[in-house]
Amino acid sequence: MTDAPRSGRGAGGADGADDTDIEREEGPLGTYLRGVAMGSADAVPGVSGGTIALITGIYDRLIAAVTAASPALARRALEGLLGDRDQLRAVWAELDGAFLLALGVGIATAILTVTRALHVALEAVPVLTYGFFFGLIGASAIVLRDEFRVDTTGRAAAAVAGAVLAFVASGSASAALGESALATFVAGAVAVSAMILPGISGSLLLVILGQYERMTEALSVFVDALLAVATGGPTATVVETGVPVVAFLAGGVVGLLTVAHAVRAALAARREATLAFLIGLIVGALRAPVVRVGEEVGAWSVAVGGEFAVAAAVGALLVVGVDRLAGGIDLD
Protein backbone atom coordinates (compact mmCIF):
# COMPACT_ATOMS: atom_id res chain seq x y z
CA MET A 1 0.00 0.00 0.00
CA THR A 2 1.25 3.43 -0.74
CA ASP A 3 0.38 6.51 1.24
CA ALA A 4 2.89 8.47 -0.84
CA PRO A 5 2.87 7.34 -4.46
CA ARG A 6 5.54 8.18 -7.00
CA SER A 7 6.75 11.76 -7.16
CA GLY A 8 4.24 14.09 -8.71
CA ARG A 9 1.28 11.71 -8.18
CA GLY A 10 -1.52 11.74 -5.64
CA ALA A 11 -1.98 14.02 -2.71
CA GLY A 12 1.33 13.43 -1.00
CA GLY A 13 4.09 16.02 -1.22
CA ALA A 14 4.12 19.40 -2.87
CA ASP A 15 3.79 18.02 -6.38
CA GLY A 16 1.03 15.67 -5.28
CA ALA A 17 -0.88 18.54 -3.70
CA ASP A 18 -0.64 20.48 -6.93
CA ASP A 19 -1.95 17.49 -8.88
CA THR A 20 -4.88 17.16 -6.49
CA ASP A 21 -5.68 20.86 -6.84
CA ILE A 22 -5.54 20.58 -10.62
CA GLU A 23 -7.83 17.55 -10.49
CA ARG A 24 -10.31 19.45 -8.39
CA GLU A 25 -10.26 22.38 -10.79
CA GLU A 26 -10.99 20.08 -13.73
CA GLY A 27 -14.30 19.22 -12.16
CA PRO A 28 -16.47 16.13 -12.56
CA LEU A 29 -15.63 15.53 -16.24
CA GLY A 30 -11.94 14.97 -15.53
CA THR A 31 -12.79 12.67 -12.63
CA TYR A 32 -15.34 10.81 -14.77
CA LEU A 33 -12.73 10.17 -17.49
CA ARG A 34 -10.30 8.88 -14.87
CA GLY A 35 -13.08 6.56 -13.71
CA VAL A 36 -13.56 5.31 -17.27
CA ALA A 37 -9.85 4.48 -17.43
CA MET A 38 -9.97 2.71 -14.05
CA GLY A 39 -13.10 0.77 -14.95
CA SER A 40 -11.62 -0.36 -18.25
CA ALA A 41 -8.60 -1.70 -16.37
CA ASP A 42 -10.65 -3.34 -13.64
CA ALA A 43 -12.76 -5.20 -16.19
CA VAL A 44 -9.85 -7.38 -17.35
CA PRO A 45 -7.92 -9.83 -15.13
CA GLY A 46 -4.36 -8.78 -14.47
CA VAL A 47 -4.71 -5.02 -14.97
CA SER A 48 -5.37 -3.01 -11.81
CA GLY A 49 -7.61 0.01 -11.51
CA GLY A 50 -5.40 1.02 -8.59
CA THR A 51 -2.47 1.29 -10.99
CA ILE A 52 -4.51 3.57 -13.26
CA ALA A 53 -5.35 5.69 -10.22
CA LEU A 54 -1.62 6.07 -9.60
CA ILE A 55 -0.94 6.99 -13.21
CA THR A 56 -3.68 9.62 -13.30
CA GLY A 57 -2.67 11.13 -9.95
CA ILE A 58 -5.78 10.38 -7.87
CA TYR A 59 -4.62 7.39 -5.82
CA ASP A 60 -4.17 9.15 -2.47
CA ARG A 61 -7.46 10.99 -2.87
CA LEU A 62 -9.22 7.72 -3.70
CA ILE A 63 -7.72 5.97 -0.66
CA ALA A 64 -8.70 8.85 1.61
CA ALA A 65 -12.27 8.78 0.31
CA VAL A 66 -12.65 4.99 0.45
CA THR A 67 -11.23 4.61 3.95
CA ALA A 68 -13.34 7.49 5.21
CA ALA A 69 -16.37 5.24 4.78
CA SER A 70 -17.33 3.58 8.06
CA PRO A 71 -20.42 2.42 9.97
CA ALA A 72 -20.19 5.59 12.10
CA LEU A 73 -20.22 7.76 9.00
CA ALA A 74 -23.17 5.76 7.66
CA ARG A 75 -25.10 6.48 10.87
CA ARG A 76 -24.35 10.17 10.51
CA ALA A 77 -25.53 10.06 6.92
CA LEU A 78 -28.78 8.40 8.02
CA GLU A 79 -29.29 11.15 10.60
CA GLY A 80 -28.78 13.67 7.83
CA LEU A 81 -31.32 11.94 5.61
CA LEU A 82 -33.82 12.06 8.47
CA GLY A 83 -33.66 15.81 8.58
CA ASP A 84 -30.26 17.16 9.60
CA ARG A 85 -29.18 18.64 6.27
CA ASP A 86 -26.05 20.23 7.75
CA GLN A 87 -24.97 16.81 8.98
CA LEU A 88 -25.62 15.32 5.55
CA ARG A 89 -23.54 18.02 3.84
CA ALA A 90 -20.71 17.43 6.31
CA VAL A 91 -20.74 13.67 5.63
CA TRP A 92 -20.78 14.30 1.86
CA ALA A 93 -17.75 16.55 2.17
CA GLU A 94 -15.93 14.12 4.47
CA LEU A 95 -16.46 11.32 1.95
CA ASP A 96 -15.40 13.56 -0.93
CA GLY A 97 -18.78 12.58 -2.31
CA ALA A 98 -18.68 14.56 -5.56
CA PHE A 99 -15.35 12.97 -6.43
CA LEU A 100 -16.54 9.44 -5.63
CA LEU A 101 -19.79 9.93 -7.52
CA ALA A 102 -18.12 11.14 -10.72
CA LEU A 103 -15.42 8.47 -10.45
CA GLY A 104 -17.97 5.75 -9.74
CA VAL A 105 -20.12 6.69 -12.73
CA GLY A 106 -17.03 6.59 -14.94
CA ILE A 107 -15.99 3.19 -13.57
CA ALA A 108 -19.51 1.82 -14.04
CA THR A 109 -19.71 3.12 -17.59
CA ALA A 110 -16.47 1.41 -18.55
CA ILE A 111 -17.21 -1.84 -16.76
CA LEU A 112 -20.62 -2.18 -18.40
CA THR A 113 -19.09 -1.52 -21.81
CA VAL A 114 -15.89 -3.55 -21.52
CA THR A 115 -17.45 -6.56 -19.81
CA ARG A 116 -20.04 -6.73 -22.56
CA ALA A 117 -17.27 -6.84 -25.17
CA LEU A 118 -15.38 -9.45 -23.13
CA HIS A 119 -18.51 -11.58 -22.81
CA VAL A 120 -18.79 -11.63 -26.59
CA ALA A 121 -15.07 -12.41 -26.89
CA LEU A 122 -15.31 -15.27 -24.40
CA GLU A 123 -18.11 -16.76 -26.47
CA ALA A 124 -16.54 -16.15 -29.90
CA VAL A 125 -12.78 -16.61 -29.37
CA PRO A 126 -12.25 -18.23 -25.95
CA VAL A 127 -8.70 -19.43 -26.63
CA LEU A 128 -7.45 -15.98 -27.63
CA THR A 129 -9.35 -14.31 -24.79
CA TYR A 130 -8.09 -16.66 -22.09
CA GLY A 131 -4.59 -16.49 -23.56
CA PHE A 132 -4.77 -12.70 -23.32
CA PHE A 133 -5.84 -13.04 -19.68
CA PHE A 134 -2.93 -15.42 -19.00
CA GLY A 135 -0.46 -12.84 -20.30
CA LEU A 136 -2.08 -10.08 -18.24
CA ILE A 137 -1.93 -12.15 -15.07
CA GLY A 138 1.60 -13.45 -15.57
CA ALA A 139 3.04 -10.04 -16.41
CA SER A 140 1.35 -8.55 -13.34
CA ALA A 141 3.33 -10.94 -11.15
CA ILE A 142 6.54 -10.05 -12.98
CA VAL A 143 6.18 -6.27 -12.65
CA LEU A 144 5.55 -6.70 -8.91
CA ARG A 145 8.61 -8.91 -8.35
CA ASP A 146 10.66 -6.08 -6.82
CA GLU A 147 7.94 -5.17 -4.32
CA PHE A 148 8.67 -7.93 -1.81
CA ARG A 149 11.40 -10.25 -0.58
CA VAL A 150 10.83 -13.88 0.36
CA ASP A 151 13.73 -13.89 2.81
CA THR A 152 11.99 -15.28 5.87
CA THR A 153 10.08 -18.47 6.58
CA GLY A 154 6.90 -16.49 7.26
CA ARG A 155 7.02 -14.63 3.94
CA ALA A 156 7.78 -17.78 2.01
CA ALA A 157 4.85 -19.50 3.73
CA ALA A 158 2.58 -16.58 2.86
CA ALA A 159 3.61 -16.70 -0.81
CA VAL A 160 3.10 -20.46 -1.00
CA ALA A 161 -0.26 -20.17 0.78
CA GLY A 162 -1.47 -17.57 -1.71
CA ALA A 163 -0.31 -19.59 -4.70
CA VAL A 164 -1.84 -22.83 -3.43
CA LEU A 165 -5.13 -21.15 -2.53
CA ALA A 166 -5.46 -19.56 -5.97
CA PHE A 167 -4.30 -22.72 -7.77
CA VAL A 168 -6.89 -24.89 -6.01
CA ALA A 169 -9.69 -22.33 -6.32
CA SER A 170 -8.95 -21.83 -10.04
CA GLY A 171 -9.46 -25.50 -10.80
CA SER A 172 -12.78 -25.17 -12.62
CA ALA A 173 -15.37 -22.60 -13.57
CA SER A 174 -17.70 -23.88 -10.84
CA ALA A 175 -15.00 -23.93 -8.15
CA ALA A 176 -14.77 -21.77 -5.08
CA LEU A 177 -18.04 -20.00 -4.31
CA GLY A 178 -20.73 -21.38 -6.62
CA GLU A 179 -23.58 -19.34 -8.11
CA SER A 180 -25.85 -18.37 -5.22
CA ALA A 181 -26.74 -14.79 -4.32
CA LEU A 182 -24.52 -15.16 -1.25
CA ALA A 183 -21.62 -16.27 -3.44
CA THR A 184 -22.13 -13.23 -5.66
CA PHE A 185 -22.28 -10.97 -2.60
CA VAL A 186 -18.98 -12.39 -1.27
CA ALA A 187 -17.38 -12.06 -4.71
CA GLY A 188 -18.34 -8.38 -4.83
CA ALA A 189 -16.92 -7.76 -1.36
CA VAL A 190 -13.60 -9.42 -2.23
CA ALA A 191 -13.23 -7.96 -5.72
CA VAL A 192 -13.85 -4.35 -4.69
CA SER A 193 -11.02 -4.57 -2.15
CA ALA A 194 -8.60 -4.73 -5.09
CA MET A 195 -9.49 -1.11 -5.85
CA ILE A 196 -6.97 -0.05 -3.20
CA LEU A 197 -4.20 -2.40 -4.41
CA PRO A 198 -2.08 -1.18 -7.32
CA GLY A 199 -1.01 -4.25 -9.29
CA ILE A 200 -3.80 -6.52 -7.99
CA SER A 201 -6.88 -6.78 -10.21
CA GLY A 202 -10.44 -7.17 -8.95
CA SER A 203 -11.24 -9.19 -12.06
CA LEU A 204 -8.33 -11.49 -11.25
CA LEU A 205 -9.90 -12.20 -7.87
CA LEU A 206 -13.17 -12.98 -9.65
CA VAL A 207 -11.30 -15.43 -11.89
CA ILE A 208 -9.86 -17.14 -8.82
CA LEU A 209 -13.32 -17.33 -7.23
CA GLY A 210 -14.84 -18.77 -10.40
CA GLN A 211 -17.13 -15.75 -10.80
CA TYR A 212 -15.62 -13.81 -13.71
CA GLU A 213 -17.43 -15.43 -16.63
CA ARG A 214 -20.66 -15.53 -14.67
CA MET A 215 -20.56 -11.84 -13.77
CA THR A 216 -19.64 -10.67 -17.28
CA GLU A 217 -22.62 -12.63 -18.58
CA ALA A 218 -24.90 -11.33 -15.81
CA LEU A 219 -23.99 -7.73 -16.58
CA SER A 220 -24.54 -8.23 -20.32
CA VAL A 221 -27.93 -9.84 -19.76
CA PHE A 222 -28.94 -7.11 -17.33
CA VAL A 223 -28.00 -4.35 -19.77
CA ASP A 224 -29.97 -6.13 -22.50
CA ALA A 225 -32.98 -6.24 -20.19
CA LEU A 226 -32.69 -2.51 -19.44
CA LEU A 227 -32.47 -1.71 -23.15
CA ALA A 228 -35.53 -3.89 -23.78
CA VAL A 229 -37.51 -1.99 -21.15
CA ALA A 230 -36.55 1.28 -22.83
CA THR A 231 -38.19 -0.01 -26.00
CA GLY A 232 -41.32 -1.31 -24.28
CA GLY A 233 -40.12 -4.67 -22.94
CA PRO A 234 -41.26 -6.26 -19.64
CA THR A 235 -39.85 -4.89 -16.40
CA ALA A 236 -40.00 -8.33 -14.79
CA THR A 237 -36.96 -9.36 -16.83
CA VAL A 238 -34.98 -6.46 -15.38
CA VAL A 239 -35.80 -7.57 -11.84
CA GLU A 240 -34.91 -11.18 -12.57
CA THR A 241 -31.62 -10.43 -14.31
CA GLY A 242 -30.75 -7.69 -11.84
CA VAL A 243 -30.56 -9.99 -8.79
CA PRO A 244 -26.90 -11.05 -9.26
CA VAL A 245 -25.90 -7.50 -10.22
CA VAL A 246 -27.51 -6.03 -7.10
CA ALA A 247 -26.01 -8.76 -4.91
CA PHE A 248 -22.57 -8.04 -6.36
CA LEU A 249 -22.92 -4.28 -5.84
CA ALA A 250 -24.17 -4.79 -2.28
CA GLY A 251 -21.14 -6.97 -1.60
CA GLY A 252 -18.95 -4.22 -3.03
CA VAL A 253 -20.37 -1.68 -0.59
CA VAL A 254 -19.79 -4.00 2.35
CA GLY A 255 -16.32 -4.73 1.01
CA LEU A 256 -15.46 -1.05 1.06
CA LEU A 257 -16.48 -0.87 4.71
CA THR A 258 -14.74 -4.08 5.79
CA VAL A 259 -12.43 -5.96 3.43
CA ALA A 260 -10.70 -2.87 2.06
CA HIS A 261 -9.92 -1.68 5.59
CA ALA A 262 -8.69 -5.15 6.59
CA VAL A 263 -6.38 -5.36 3.58
CA ARG A 264 -4.95 -1.93 4.28
CA ALA A 265 -4.43 -2.82 7.96
CA ALA A 266 -2.67 -6.06 6.96
CA LEU A 267 -0.37 -4.15 4.62
CA ALA A 268 0.41 -1.62 7.34
CA ALA A 269 1.16 -4.31 9.94
CA ARG A 270 2.80 -7.03 7.82
CA ARG A 271 3.52 -5.44 4.46
CA GLU A 272 6.04 -7.96 3.09
CA ALA A 273 4.08 -11.03 4.14
CA THR A 274 0.81 -9.58 2.83
CA LEU A 275 2.38 -8.69 -0.51
CA ALA A 276 3.93 -12.15 -0.72
CA PHE A 277 0.48 -13.67 -0.20
CA LEU A 278 -1.15 -11.38 -2.77
CA ILE A 279 1.52 -12.03 -5.40
CA GLY A 280 1.23 -15.73 -4.63
CA LEU A 281 -2.46 -15.39 -5.53
CA ILE A 282 -1.48 -13.96 -8.91
CA VAL A 283 0.93 -16.80 -9.65
CA GLY A 284 -1.55 -19.47 -8.57
CA ALA A 285 -4.27 -17.87 -10.67
CA LEU A 286 -2.31 -18.62 -13.85
CA ARG A 287 -3.98 -22.01 -13.74
CA ALA A 288 -7.43 -20.54 -14.35
CA PRO A 289 -7.06 -19.48 -18.02
CA VAL A 290 -5.37 -22.79 -18.88
CA VAL A 291 -8.18 -24.78 -17.26
CA ARG A 292 -10.86 -22.67 -18.96
CA VAL A 293 -9.31 -23.25 -22.38
CA GLY A 294 -9.23 -26.98 -21.69
CA GLU A 295 -12.92 -26.85 -20.79
CA GLU A 296 -13.70 -24.96 -24.00
CA VAL A 297 -11.68 -26.99 -26.55
CA GLY A 298 -11.65 -30.38 -24.85
CA ALA A 299 -7.98 -31.07 -25.54
CA TRP A 300 -4.94 -28.90 -26.17
CA SER A 301 -3.23 -29.03 -29.58
CA VAL A 302 -0.29 -27.27 -31.22
CA ALA A 303 -2.68 -24.86 -32.94
CA VAL A 304 -4.52 -24.07 -29.71
CA GLY A 305 -1.23 -23.60 -27.87
CA GLY A 306 0.04 -21.25 -30.57
CA GLU A 307 -3.07 -19.06 -30.42
CA PHE A 308 -2.90 -19.03 -26.64
CA ALA A 309 0.79 -18.06 -26.64
CA VAL A 310 0.34 -15.20 -29.11
CA ALA A 311 -2.58 -13.76 -27.16
CA ALA A 312 -0.62 -14.16 -23.90
CA ALA A 313 2.30 -12.20 -25.37
CA VAL A 314 -0.05 -9.36 -26.31
CA GLY A 315 -1.52 -9.30 -22.79
CA ALA A 316 1.92 -9.32 -21.20
CA LEU A 317 3.12 -6.45 -23.39
CA LEU A 318 0.06 -4.42 -22.38
CA VAL A 319 0.79 -4.82 -18.67
CA VAL A 320 4.48 -4.03 -19.13
CA GLY A 321 3.52 -0.93 -21.13
CA VAL A 322 1.13 0.26 -18.42
CA ASP A 323 3.80 -0.36 -15.79
CA ARG A 324 6.36 1.65 -17.79
CA LEU A 325 3.83 4.47 -18.15
CA ALA A 326 3.29 4.37 -14.40
CA GLY A 327 7.03 4.55 -13.83
CA GLY A 328 6.98 1.20 -12.04
CA ILE A 329 4.37 0.17 -9.50
CA ASP A 330 5.38 1.49 -6.08
CA LEU A 331 3.70 -0.04 -3.06
CA ASP A 332 6.00 1.47 -0.40
Side-chain angles (χ1 to χ4, degrees):
M1 181 64 55
T2 174
D3 289 330
R6 289 180 301 280
S7 177
R9 297 291 184 190
D15 290 339
D18 291 342
D19 282 348
T20 303
D21 291 340
I22 291 171
E23 198 285 324
R24 289 176 184 273
E25 290 171 4
E26 286 181 352
L29 178 58
T31 303
Y32 170 81
L33 293 175
R34 287 169 168 83
V36 169
M38 286 183 63
S40 299
D42 277 325
V44 293
V47 181
S48 169
T51 299
I52 302 301
L54 278 174
I55 294 170
T56 58
I58 60 170
Y59 183 73
D60 274 357
R61 188 176 179 186
L62 174 62
I63 292 302
V66 168
T67 55
S70 66
L73 201 67
R75 286 194 296 271
R76 289 172 52 199
L78 179 60
E79 293 173 2
L81 289 172
L82 294 176
D84 190 344
R85 293 295 179 262
D86 289 338
Q87 178 82 295
L88 189 60
R89 281 191 289 270
V91 169
W92 182 255
E94 192 171 333
L95 275 175
D96 205 355
F99 167 76
L100 284 182
L101 178 61
L103 191 71
V105 171
I107 290 172
T109 300
I111 287 178
L112 289 174
T113 304
V114 175
T115 54
R116 187 175 184 83
L118 288 173
H119 176 61
V120 173
L122 286 167
E123 293 287 332
V125 285
V127 175
L128 291 175
T129 305
Y130 286 121
F132 181 68
F133 290 171
F134 185 91
L136 293 174
I137 295 167
S140 294
I142 292 172
V143 300
L144 286 169
R145 67 188 182 279
D146 294 329
E147 289 301 323
F148 75 109
R149 298 180 304 278
V150 185
D151 53 2
T152 68
T153 302
R155 293 169 187 172
V160 171
V164 170
L165 175 62
F167 185 86
V168 172
S170 301
S172 70
S174 59
L177 295 180
E179 299 186 357
S180 67
L182 177 60
T184 307
F185 178 89
V186 172
V190 173
V192 80
S193 66
M195 180 189 302
I196 65 170
L197 298 171
I200 309 295
S201 164
S203 291
L204 170 62
L205 297 181
L206 290 180
V207 168
I208 294 172
L209 295 172
Q211 298 293 315
Y212 184 78
E213 298 93 331
R214 177 169 173 258
M215 288 312 303
T216 56
E217 180 180 6
L219 282 172
S220 296
V221 171
F222 180 63
V223 171
D224 286 341
L226 288 176
L227 293 174
V229 168
T231 58
T235 56
T237 306
V238 173
V239 175
E240 179 182 351
T241 59
V243 170
V245 176
V246 171
F248 186 84
L249 293 176
V253 171
V254 172
L256 285 178
L257 296 174
T258 57
V259 179
H261 288 270
V263 170
R264 188 175 188 182
L267 282 167
R270 296 286 186 273
R271 177 182 176 277
E272 293 288 348
T274 303
L275 284 175
F277 176 80
L278 293 172
I279 295 172
L281 286 179
I282 297 177
V283 174
L286 286 169
R287 182 187 184 193
V290 176
V291 170
R292 304 298 187 269
V293 169
E295 292 173 345
E296 290 289 336
V297 303
W300 283 79
S301 66
V302 174
V304 169
E307 288 183 39
F308 188 89
V310 170
V314 173
L317 288 173
L318 175 61
V319 171
V320 171
V322 170
D323 182 59
R324 292 289 179 86
L325 180 62
I329 296 173
D330 181 6
L331 298 180
D332 285 328

